Amino acid sequence: MIREKIRGVLIGFAGAFFVLGNALPAYADTLITNVKLTFQNQYEEDGGKLLEPVVGTDSTEFKIADVSWSQKSSDWSPGQAVTASIVLKPDSSGYFSGIYADERIDISGAEYRSCRREDDGSLLVKAVYYPVLKLGKTESAGWSGDTRASWKTVPYATAYQLRLYKKDGTYVTTLTLGGTSVELSDYMTGGGEYYYEVRAIAGNSENSSYKRNGEYVTSRKTETAVSKPARGVWTKNGSSWHYTDENGNAAVSGWRYIGGVWYYFDGQGRALSGWQQINGSWYYMDGECRMQTGWMEMDGKMYYLDSAGVMITGWYQMSPGKWYYFYDDGSMAVNTSIDGYRIGPDGKMKQ
């Protein structure tokens, strides 16, 4: 009788152990304590189409088995949130926890929302992504009459950048425009033939951080301009550009507003380019020495230069309720906490 009871106890224990063994990982398995994912923006070569980002990980403890979206990419808009559902599968020696604290889930390029371990041991992670668009190419870049440049509207573009050249490739000027046509007669002063390049740019719109500038397109044909009185003259000395106005005065030691663009000249009359600290503030002049304003992307970081060209640092309110934080080097903070406030992948402070 006692022998039968002992046998029953042993059988019951073995059955319980079998059940627990199927419910819990084997003692040799390794708990995956952290989950790290990256969302890398993708751009169509010619622009104009929103593409799904590449979702990746550098972990060797798990792999990405599937990525699905709350909307198909053809219905996306720049900066409008979509939700990604990512299925992660552990390797043969690991397993996911049933619960993860937020700090254990590290997602760059998107905002973490939730995770759940599924019955098959996989982990379902949900994150919010804000699509980024490379603007499309301008079409039908040509002329309306002899001196008015015109082209078609590019979807989502809020501004355009035009560079004017003489027939032989001599650079004349660059203009940033809000519309799709501009009269260029004031710049076509020497007669002869001219052409231009134009591209769509993000400008300073509310969601400009979710747009990338398009590619330059050359105008379909050159036009002969009516000869106009000469204005100021740019000359190149070595690698430096110098400017002399229509009265023969050289630009030296300070700002000059030329053809609708601000330039800064040092004591030798050289137009400066790149980052420049002037009277305690930082400015950025592009490769053609033009002062920049608005959003600027450089080496994967976003910067903001106000309407006077000054690089912003610290907290900055773009519009009511929309705060951003910029580090001392001017780069925008993303996916972090500053002064107790959470900042998302788009740089906006979360309310």
Side-chain angles (χ1 to χ4, degrees):
M1 184 71 172
I2 294 174
R3 185 179 298 169
E4 291 297 321
K5 286 184 178 180
I6 293 174
R7 184 172 177 231
V9 170
L10 290 174
I11 292 173
F13 178 79
F17 183 81
F18 177 78
V19 171
L20 288 173
N22 281 275
L24 298 175
Y27 72 91
D29 285 355
T30 303
L31 173 64
I32 299 172
T33 57
N34 295 281
V35 174
K36 184 176 182 180
L37 299 172
T38 59
F39 284 64
Q40 184 175 359
N41 297 326
Q42 301 295 299
Y43 308 114
E44 187 179 48
E45 184 176 357
D46 290 336
K49 182 180 180 181
L50 283 164
L51 302 179
E52 293 182 6
V54 172
V55 182
T57 182
D58 57 6
S59 175
T60 59
E61 297 180 299
F62 62 85
K63 64 180 180 179
I64 298 172
D66 184 62
V67 179
S68 59
W69 299 92
S70 58
Q71 292 178 300
K72 54 185 180 181
S73 59
S74 58
D75 294 331
W76 292 1
S77 295
Q80 299 300 307
V82 293
T83 301
S85 297
I86 307 112
V87 178
L88 307 179
K89 294 283 188 180
D91 67 9
S92 58
S93 63
Y95 69 97
F96 289 111
S97 172
I99 299 176
Y100 283 94
D102 287 354
E103 59 267 23
R104 294 293 183 179
I105 308 292
D106 181 6
I107 298 180
S108 63
E111 295 178 2
Y112 168 64
R113 281 294 181 263
S114 65
C115 70
R116 180 182 72 232
R117 190 176 68 186
E118 302 290 73
D119 292 340
D120 64 356
S122 64
L123 190 71
L124 175 63
V125 179
K126 293 197 174 184
V128 172
Y129 171 71
Y130 298 88
V132 181
L133 173 72
K134 178 181 177 181
L135 296 170
K137 289 185 176 181
T138 52
E139 296 181 6
S140 301
W143 301 86
S144 300
D146 289 342
T147 57
R148 175 170 286 276
S150 62
W151 55 92
K152 287 186 177 181
T153 300
V154 175
Y156 299 111
T158 55
Y160 300 88
Q161 194 169 66
L162 179 147
R163 298 193 299 206
L164 181 65
Y165 300 87
K166 291 185 177 181
K167 182 182 179 179
D168 62 2
T170 301
Y171 167 75
V172 178
T173 191
T174 297
L175 302 173
T176 299
L177 310 158
T180 57
S181 67
V182 61
E183 176 58 48
L184 297 174
S185 57
D186 285 346
Y187 305 95
M188 302 165 75
T189 57
E193 293 184 321
Y194 291 76
Y195 69 94
Y196 67 90
E197 297 176 328
V198 63
R199 67 174 177 175
I201 61 175
N204 295 327
S205 62
E206 180 179 338
N207 63 348
S208 58
S209 59
Y210 302 107
K211 301 173 187 176
R212 299 294 178 263
N213 294 339
E215 301 290 337
Y216 276 108
V217 172
T218 303
S219 60
R220 290 185 290 107
K221 59 178 180 178
T222 58
E223 292 291 327
T224 302
V226 178
S227 181
K228 302 264 183 190
R231 303 175 69 183
V233 176
W234 285 96
T235 56
K236 192 172 186 181
N237 183 4
S239 60
S240 301
W241 283 97
H242 300 256
Y243 181 78
T244 303
D245 66 21
E246 60 271 22
N247 297 315
N249 299 313
V252 178
S253 301
W255 292 101
R256 290 292 294 268
Y257 192 65
I258 304 168
V261 178
W262 283 103
Y263 299 84
Y264 190 85
F265 297 85
D266 66 10
Q268 285 73 50
R270 297 173 296 194
L272 301 183
S273 62
W275 287 108
Q276 302 292 334
Q277 189 174 33
I278 301 168
N279 297 327
S281 297
W282 284 96
Y283 300 80
Y284 186 80
M285 286 64 157
D286 67 8
E288 295 175 359
C289 305
R290 301 165 301 185
M291 186 194 80
Q292 301 296 291
T293 62
W295 287 102
M296 183 175 69
E297 182 180 19
M298 183 179 295
D299 297 329
K301 297 180 180 180
M302 296 299 297
Y303 299 79
Y304 189 77
L305 312 171
D306 68 14
S307 59
V310 176
M311 183 189 78
I312 297 299
T313 60
W315 287 107
Y316 188 77
Q317 188 177 31
M318 296 288 179
S319 58
K322 290 183 172 59
W323 286 91
Y324 296 76
Y325 186 86
F326 298 86
Y327 295 114
D328 290 343
D329 66 355
S331 61
M332 182 180 74
V334 296
N335 292 321
T336 188
S337 292
I338 303 290
D339 299 333
Y341 296 99
R342 183 66 183 167
I343 298 175
D346 59 353
K348 292 180 185 176
M349 181 186 78
K350 295 182 177 299
Q351 300 298 325

